[in-house]
Amino acid sequence: TRLVKALVIAYQRFFSARRPYRVCRFEPTCSEYMLQAIDRYHSRGILMGLARILRCQPFARGGYAVSYTHLRA
């Protein structure tokens, strides 16, 4: 899980931060969601984050979701 967290943080710092405008339709962003899910659920959080990324497409409604509200640890 540490490697995945490091990759997500690198993505946030080097790719996401360089965008001129915010493009994510979700709150929190998919990368923040994945970090929260990993902190709370460890390896299961990686799967939760990947599922969230798969929902990130033009036909998704977006919205607000916190990783720890719909599953119990």
Side-chain angles (χ1 to χ4, degrees):
T1 58
R2 282 188 256 159
L3 174 64
V4 175
K5 282 180 74 170
L7 290 172
V8 171
I9 291 169
Y11 166 79
Q12 287 178 332
R13 289 187 182 153
F14 297 113
F15 295 106
S16 183
R18 295 179 191 263
R19 291 183 177 162
Y21 55 90
R22 184 181 166 118
V23 295
C24 191
R25 62 184 75 237
F26 289 104
E27 182 64 35
T29 64
C30 293
S31 56
E32 279 297 319
Y33 180 92
M34 183 174 272
L35 290 176
Q36 289 175 8
I38 291 171
D39 284 342
R40 175 95 175 171
Y41 299 107
H42 309 287
S43 60
R44 187 169 54 165
I46 296 171
L47 296 175
M48 292 170 63
L50 291 175
R52 169 75 172 261
I53 290 170
L54 290 175
R55 287 192 305 265
C56 189
Q57 36 92 3
F59 301 108
R61 293 186 314 176
Y64 180 79
V66 179
S67 63
Y68 53 83
T69 60
H70 61 283
L71 291 176
R72 293 183 182 167

